[in-house]
Amino acid sequence: MIGGARQPREDGPSPVPPNHQGCAIDSARVQLPARRGEPCGETRAELHERHEDGHRLHHLVWRLGPGVRVCSSAVLGGGIGPRGWILNAQVPGGYPRLDPDRHLAEIAASEGLTGPGAGLMTAADVAAYTTGRDGGATATVTTGLGVRGWAAVPDVEVGTPHWPGTVNIVLTLPAALSDAALINAVATATEAKVQALLDAGLDCSGTPTDAVCVAAPEPGPHGGEPFAGPRSTWGARIARAVHTAVLEGARPARDLS
């Protein structure tokens, strides 16, 4: 994720005017066999390849459908609310654009995604995504650790550019969560991410632009699961799923250190 989240339009991503000078996007789905142990009926991430401004890039798409809400720190569609899709898009290193939310809307439109959604960005190789599963919780992670460090550091100049070397975590759950539990799920996922980075032998808590999306069914009148801390039923599953995916993705960074 780059920059702060912006509120989505109720009717989906902002339209791109005909005279917009953004690059044409040519996208094709990369057909992959089902991964071993992948549950039937799971909301599965689709891997797509696109050609944009001379670059060959990848993005992941989750088509969530109706009745799902997302808690997200994403640059497009951040916050808590109903979302029909999630997009995690790879961009070139040294990303030059100053309108990442608009760029994500363009990519979403190229995939026929309509209505409100959430969009994340990374300079990591999206095709190298990793997945962790536990008890119905699924974490899909893209791991870019080129600008890793610790969250608490001496004060730096405001406006220091944050390039999109990013750990993006997308969690999908079959159980509805309350508002508090959705926020708690983001905290639990972040704790598990840091634990995995340390277990991988890396001296960091993440990168300055890490982002998280948690997708779960709308709670309805019963209010949803009240807790998602690491010792609750769903929080423990979230933590183990995220830890598995981040640890697998972080090991190549450790090997290059």
Side-chain angles (χ1 to χ4, degrees), residues 27-30 32 35 43-50 57-63 85-91 104 107-108 111 113 118-122 124-131 139-143 168-170:
S27 174
R29 182 169 176 177
V30 179
L32 295 177
R35 299 189 172 196
T43 301
R44 184 183 177 196
E46 303 171 5
L47 179 64
H48 292 252
E49 178 183 291
R50 73 185 191 279
L57 303 166
H58 292 90
H59 53 270
L60 290 167
V61 176
W62 290 258
R63 302 179 193 272
W85 49 268
I86 300 173
L87 173 69
N88 185 12
Q90 180 184 358
V91 296
L104 286 162
I107 299 171
E111 295 296 348
L113 300 172
L120 308 92
M121 272 185 179
T122 180
D125 180 6
V126 167
Y129 72 93
T130 55
T131 305
T140 305
V141 176
T142 54
T143 309
N168 281 344
I169 300 170
V170 175

